[in-house]
Amino acid sequence: MTHDQNGPVSGERRALSRRSVLTTIGAVPVITATSAVLGATEASAATATVNPSAQRQTIKGFGGMTHAAWAGDLTAAQRDTAFQTGEGKLGFSILRIPVGESQADFGRDLATAKRAVELGVTVFASPWNPPASMIETFNRSGQTNAKRLRYDQYAAYATHLNSFSTYMKNNGVNLYAISVQNEPDYAHDWTWWTSTEMVKFLRENAGSINTRVMAPESFQYVKSMSDPILNDATALANTDIIGAHLYGTSYSNFPYPLFKQKGAGKELWMTEVYYPNSTDSADTWPQALDVGEHMHRAMVEAEFQAYVWWYIRRSYGPMREDGQLSKRGAIMAQFARFVRPGYVRIDATANPATNVYVSAYRSGDTVVIVAINKNTSAVSQQFSVAGAGSAGVSSWVTDGSRNVAPQAATTMSNGSLTVSLPARSMTTYVTSLSGSSPSATPTVTPTVTPSQSPSQSPSQSPTGGTGAARVAYTMNTWSNGFTASISITNTGSSTINGWTLAFTLPSGQTITSGWNATFSPSSGQVSARNVDYNGTLAPGATVDIGFQASHTGNTSKPTSFTLNGVPCTVV
């Protein structure tokens, strides 16, 4: 990420670069005025069909970056605004931080990361430069002071990344992943990597890294940076997340067929962007609706599992410098507060009318529908939810005068809901497939979203497939409770149809809610069984489950796991 044009900040450089480069290649994001495609009276759109049985990607969350050295740290109040989910909050569930270039820099963003973890947030890290001793300069297309990692320092660099991960863990932050390099293909002011160098490092050194590995974080989702990883079996085996940035990336380049072909068991994250620019105020309206469309397309067309903004607090960011939500932030919160980690995107009619965009998500019986109307007049929109009955519907709206404002409850009848989408607005609807009423307010911290209670019965019993499995168990703890995230990967050669993960909770720990699995009993020897939409695990595929629990002081982890009775490898 280039530093921006937002006034003087300690450590920021001039902001020539990204704008100049994107202008040269003709890819600068352009602010577009919303045209009046509908008349002054309310128009009707085609029915938007939502199919809860058609499961797509599992959502990891929405979030942003803090970089204390460049933009200052968040205050205590701003951290809560960023990561809590109540009224006036962003509801971010992902935090990105930089990897320090030396151990003296490791703690710069620790305070914000620790508070994020206390609130159940996923934290990952990206490096801009290795330690200076590992770098050499070279001539790159006339840039005589271009920097790259010395080839004889690849192993030492992996050790450096491990040192940062270990430092964070020892200070209460278990990183979800660490990247090899921020924007290796746009590195005028940091370290360049070619795709060949990236593959070499992933093949030979990434296997020793002690957390999930992310690559390549190309600044414009340049597929020639990530294709070689997907096409190299060893490099891909050592890569857990394909990360990408979307600066100037056209919507036509959002889909990634090669990832769908070869990325089974891997995650696909959008790890940095500002949109449509860094020069306008984030409160410019209706321009902020462009952020909503961008997020919609990132979820639906690119099928990213995560969407991460650049600076959380900035004049063009989701949080203004005064710590309050901006219009862009309110738009992001329409996703982030309600589509929580572990939700699964489900099929929905994506574009039922011109300038109307719809996406939908599911966790257990809960269905969330996010609708954007960029037209200058209201639109009458019918939603048809397949297989649903009658249930209460809660909703929140952002438009020119409102920010994630709760609306009067309404009712879905026999799976059908007809609403008026206000002119130039974004609305989030939350309902239930089971007929029960959804919560009138979003989940409060700690930010976990249960999909089933421990006492519920599973929808699918194990019917076969007892191959080997790998389990990663991550805890985020606070004074008397914790959340646990569990990734289960099928490392065998045959598909698992229906699964039960068994483990023993340490003394004093009691599960209070869970997601993406049915947990029973709530303490002692626990069985986590698949729910109806995630019972099939192909070879190499991963399913993410988790739970919230209380503890009486013992925050140790289970020591062993079995899947369908077969012992698992624990990483």
Side-chain angles (χ1 to χ4, degrees):
M1 168 59 208
T2 179
H3 300 303
D4 54 70
Q5 302 185 47
N6 194 48
V9 171
S10 176
E12 289 192 342
R13 64 165 170 84
R14 67 193 185 284
L16 102 96
S17 20
R18 188 183 307 281
R19 186 162 305 280
S20 300
V21 170
L22 295 183
T23 301
T24 300
I25 63 179
V28 174
V30 178
I31 303 171
T32 56
T34 305
S35 59
V37 298
L38 294 176
T41 58
E42 181 170 281
S44 296
T47 299
T49 300
V50 178
N51 184 359
S53 298
Q55 312 284 329
R56 301 304 174 189
Q57 76 270 30
T58 298
I59 303 303
K60 295 295 183 178
F62 303 86
M65 173 127 195
T66 59
H67 198 311
W70 287 357
D73 202 359
L74 300 180
T75 67
Q78 290 166 356
R79 292 165 192 149
D80 287 352
T81 297
F83 305 120
Q84 290 182 340
T85 56
E87 298 299 320
K89 311 298 185 184
L90 279 167
F92 281 177
S93 50
I94 294 178
L95 170 65
R96 182 180 184 229
I97 60 174
V99 177
E101 295 177 21
S102 69
Q103 293 196 5
D105 303 326
F106 281 2
R108 281 178 174 167
D109 297 275
L110 180 61
T112 290
K114 288 183 70 171
R115 181 56 178 156
V117 165
E118 290 173 358
L119 298 175
V121 170
T122 296
V123 181
F124 76 101
S126 300
W128 269 246
N129 288 303
S133 62
M134 300 181 190
I135 292 173
E136 65 181 4
T137 58
F138 70 108
N139 189 322
R140 184 188 184 278
S141 302
Q143 183 188 353
T144 58
N145 63 342
K147 295 186 292 188
R148 68 184 172 204
L149 177 66
R150 286 166 41 195
Y151 293 169
D152 64 351
Q153 293 295 306
Y154 277 26
Y157 182 52
T159 299
H160 171 71
L161 297 180
N162 278 340
S163 295
F164 181 78
S165 176
T166 299
Y167 171 87
M168 297 302 291
K169 182 176 182 179
N170 290 343
N171 284 277
V173 178
N174 288 325
L175 293 179
Y176 184 83
I178 199 163
S179 174
V180 175
Q181 173 65 46
N182 170 75
E183 296 181 354
D185 52 342
Y186 182 80
H188 302 276
D189 293 308
W190 46 85
T191 303
W192 292 97
W193 292 64
T194 66
S195 60
T196 300
E197 291 165 346
M198 185 71 68
V199 167
K200 175 180 173 63
F201 180 84
L202 291 169
R203 284 179 58 91
E204 299 176 4
N205 304 100
S208 66
I209 294 176
N210 58 17
T211 188
R212 293 175 183 85
V213 174
M214 176 185 292
E217 289 202 282
S218 163
F219 91 106
Q220 203 176 32
Y221 205 10
V222 176
K223 305 302 195 297
S224 60
M225 286 298 298
S226 48
D227 281 356
I229 300 172
L230 292 167
N231 286 321
D232 188 293
T234 303
L236 184 60
N238 289 335
T239 305
D240 301 282
I241 303 170
I242 298 295
H245 299 178
L246 291 180
Y247 290 106
T249 309
S250 66
Y251 289 144
S252 63
N253 285 331
F254 273 29
Y256 198 0
L258 186 65
F259 179 83
K260 298 191 76 170
Q261 176 188 348
K262 297 192 173 183
K266 307 301 178 180
E267 298 175 17
L268 184 64
W269 288 33
M270 198 293 292
T271 57
E272 186 190 306
V273 78
Y274 53 70
Y275 188 85
N277 56 45
S278 64
T279 54
D280 293 336
S281 165
D283 286 316
T284 303
W285 189 266
Q287 186 200 74
L289 273 176
D290 292 346
V291 176
E293 180 185 351
H294 196 257
M295 295 178 73
H296 164 87
R297 291 179 182 266
M299 294 294 106
V300 174
E301 297 173 17
E303 297 188 80
F304 285 117
Q305 296 174 262
Y307 187 101
V308 182
W309 194 266
W310 178 225
Y311 292 132
I312 292 176
R313 186 194 65 218
R314 213 73 176 118
S315 67
Y316 56 84
M319 182 189 296
R320 302 194 307 248
E321 292 290 355
D322 64 2
Q324 301 303 305
L325 264 66
S326 67
K327 279 296 184 184
R328 291 182 181 180
I331 291 298
M332 293 191 72
Q334 293 278 164
F335 279 103
R337 278 178 49 185
F338 309 101
V339 183
R340 303 302 297 167
Y343 275 58
V344 177
R345 187 177 70 84
I346 55 180
D347 274 358
T349 305
N351 194 202
T354 302
N355 277 357
V356 175
Y357 303 93
V358 173
S359 61
Y361 309 85
R362 175 183 180 180
S363 177
D365 282 340
T366 299
V367 170
V368 176
I369 301 171
V370 182
I372 303 163
N373 176 20
K374 295 183 73 177
N375 295 290
T376 57
S377 58
V379 172
S380 177
Q381 180 65 62
Q382 180 183 11
F383 300 103
S384 178
V385 183
S390 299
V393 181
S394 298
S395 62
W396 293 259
V397 66
T398 294
D399 58 14
S401 60
R402 295 173 288 186
N403 285 349
V404 204
Q407 303 301 290
T410 185
T411 302
M412 177 175 65
S413 178
N414 295 320
S416 179
L417 171 68
T418 300
V419 298
S420 176
L421 302 178
R424 288 174 168 168
S425 70
M426 184 169 178
T427 311
T428 303
Y429 301 92
V430 182
T431 189
S432 172
L433 296 175
S434 65
S436 59
S437 297
S439 171
T441 57
T443 307
V444 295
T445 55
T447 48
V448 296
T449 307
S451 61
Q452 305 236 4
S453 67
S455 61
Q456 288 176 297
S457 59
S459 301
Q460 181 179 357
S461 298
T463 58
T466 57
R470 181 176 68 245
V471 169
Y473 185 97
T474 303
M475 293 176 69
N476 290 323
T477 64
W478 57 94
S479 57
N480 59 357
F482 67 92
T483 59
S485 299
I486 309 172
S487 293
I488 308 167
T489 301
N490 179 3
T491 57
S493 59
S494 60
T495 297
I496 297 174
N497 295 307
W499 48 263
T500 297
L501 182 74
F503 56 94
T504 300
L505 276 180
S507 175
Q509 298 181 7
T510 303
I511 296 174
T512 56
S513 62
W515 58 94
N516 292 344
T518 300
F519 295 84
S520 180
S522 59
S523 61
Q525 188 170 344
V526 176
S527 292
R529 306 186 72 179
N530 65 270
V531 289
D532 57 353
Y533 54 82
N534 63 6
T536 300
L537 267 180
T542 298
V543 62
D544 293 312
I545 66 174
F547 60 86
Q548 180 179 341
S550 62
H551 68 79
T552 57
N554 183 357
T555 57
S556 58
K557 299 179 181 180
T559 57
S560 62
F561 300 81
T562 63
L563 191 74
N564 292 353
V566 178
C568 302
T569 301
V570 181
V571 296

